[in-house]
Amino acid sequence: MASSQQSPRSRRPEPVLITGAAPSMTDQHAARKRRYAITMLTRTIALILAAVFYKVVWLMIIFVILGTVLPWVAVMMANDRPPKKKTDVRSYTPPPDRVLENPARSTRIIDV
């Protein structure tokens, strides 16, 4: 027999997200900062490898080009945000053309 303090189910410390809500802006910003830092770390490593392989010219050139292009890539990725969710776009739909009925064709007659 279970006591009143024990729960038959295990409880999770955080609720489970069951909606399709987007991550918060703070989470998105943190992910972009992390991606920027990783890209700039890769650039630093590429420049160090370029200095290490200075005698192998073709390899040094590849690392220098990589070290030159990566800052631009890092900034572009850091400024990018996730795409917006596709929603129904409200567009203007003109009302159907209004046509006046021909009174001569009217079959309804009202007598007063």
Side-chain angles (χ1 to χ4, degrees), residues 54-96:
Y54 72 94
K55 290 186 178 183
V56 183
V57 177
W58 65 272
L59 195 55
M60 179 190 68
I61 290 174
I62 290 174
F63 286 129
V64 167
I65 291 173
L66 189 63
T68 305
V69 172
L70 277 178
W72 178 79
V73 172
V75 169
M76 295 302 287
M77 287 184 347
N79 288 334
D80 191 23
R81 63 177 185 83
K84 290 184 178 180
K85 290 186 178 181
K86 202 170 198 178
T87 58
D88 293 334
V89 179
R90 287 198 253 176
S91 61
Y92 175 73
T93 54

Side-chain angles (χ1 to χ4, degrees), residues 16-52:
V16 177
L17 181 65
I18 59 172
T19 64
S24 69
M25 293 301 272
T26 306
D27 292 342
Q28 291 179 15
H29 188 250
R32 290 194 315 246
K33 286 189 333 188
R34 188 171 37 253
R35 203 173 0 175
Y36 179 82
I38 290 169
T39 307
M40 292 309 285
L41 178 66
T42 305
R43 174 193 186 239
T44 304
I45 292 170
L47 290 177
I48 291 171
L49 288 174
V52 168

